[in-house]
Amino acid sequence: MNRVYLGLGSNIEPLKHCVQAIAAIKAVSSEVRCSAAYQSDAVGFDGPRFVNLVVEMETELSLEQVATFCRELEFTLGRPALAEKNQNRTIDIDILLFNDLISNNPSIPRTDIHQFAFVLLPMYELAPNLVIPGTVTSISQLWEQRQHQLLVQQPITPIQLDC
């Protein structure tokens, strides 16, 4: 069984698209846990506020299968095939961690986990003692080191989202 952490984000009908993504993830998982959902301003461009959360799943799918599943789910939920970075989106699904794997294609663990409050706080909620593969640093250590700076730079607001 593989333990996978996915970052979900949406700023086009975000509650609808996040709930639909979670339902699809549950269909390919034996166990799913969700962090709280957070609303934040778009980063890198002007757009509607995003809703973000992290989903922890256990699945028999391989990394390649999870990557394909996530990409196909993004398309199913209306993300254009040629979507660019820093634009509005129905759903964005990033593989943050896949077991203890370190990979370059896709980039696992995601190198930007520590850069965004809307990723690091949800990871802290789900797996505070998890050590990021390739480091000796736990999620809780990262959160303790970065929380003040991140929350000043990127204020986030918890919102209700049923998982």
Side-chain angles (χ1 to χ4, degrees):
M1 210 45 107
N2 296 306
R3 183 168 306 275
V4 183
Y5 292 87
L6 302 173
L8 276 60
S10 172
N11 74 338
I12 298 173
E13 297 183 86
L15 298 179
K16 170 187 158 185
H17 289 113
C18 287
V19 167
Q20 289 175 333
I22 292 165
I25 291 165
K26 287 181 176 181
V28 298
S29 306
S30 61
E31 182 183 327
V32 172
R33 290 190 323 139
C34 299
S35 71
Y38 294 92
Q39 194 170 50
S40 63
D41 291 337
V43 175
F45 69 102
D46 290 327
R49 292 173 60 86
F50 271 80
V51 169
N52 292 280
L53 69 147
V54 171
V55 175
E56 175 188 10
M57 64 186 273
E58 284 195 16
T59 183
E60 302 253 348
L61 298 177
S62 68
L63 174 59
E64 294 77 18
Q65 291 170 320
V66 170
T68 298
F69 166 78
C70 290
R71 192 76 173 139
E72 289 175 357
L73 180 55
E74 289 175 335
F75 295 151
T76 299
L77 295 180
R79 182 174 174 163
L82 299 176
E84 296 185 20
K85 195 170 177 76
N86 297 329
Q87 69 179 37
N88 298 323
R89 55 193 75 240
T90 55
I91 196 74
D92 182 42
I93 306 172
D94 296 321
I95 304 171
L96 304 172
L97 298 168
F98 189 94
N99 295 325
D100 292 332
L101 183 68
I102 298 172
S103 168
N104 290 325
N105 189 19
S107 180
I108 308 288
R110 283 284 297 219
T111 58
D112 57 1
I113 290 173
H114 68 284
Q115 294 178 350
F116 301 108
F118 58 78
V119 176
L120 190 54
L121 178 54
M123 282 295 303
Y124 175 75
E125 292 173 4
L126 292 175
N129 297 320
L130 181 79
V131 174
I132 296 175
T135 75
V136 294
T137 308
S138 70
I139 297 295
S140 64
Q141 289 170 318
L142 277 176
W143 180 244
E144 289 168 15
Q145 293 167 4
R146 309 249 323 140
Q147 68 178 317
H148 179 72
Q149 177 186 10
L150 290 177
L151 292 173
V152 167
Q153 292 173 346
Q154 309 156 3
I156 58 176
T157 306
I159 63 164
Q160 181 64 39
L161 179 72
D162 296 324
C163 178

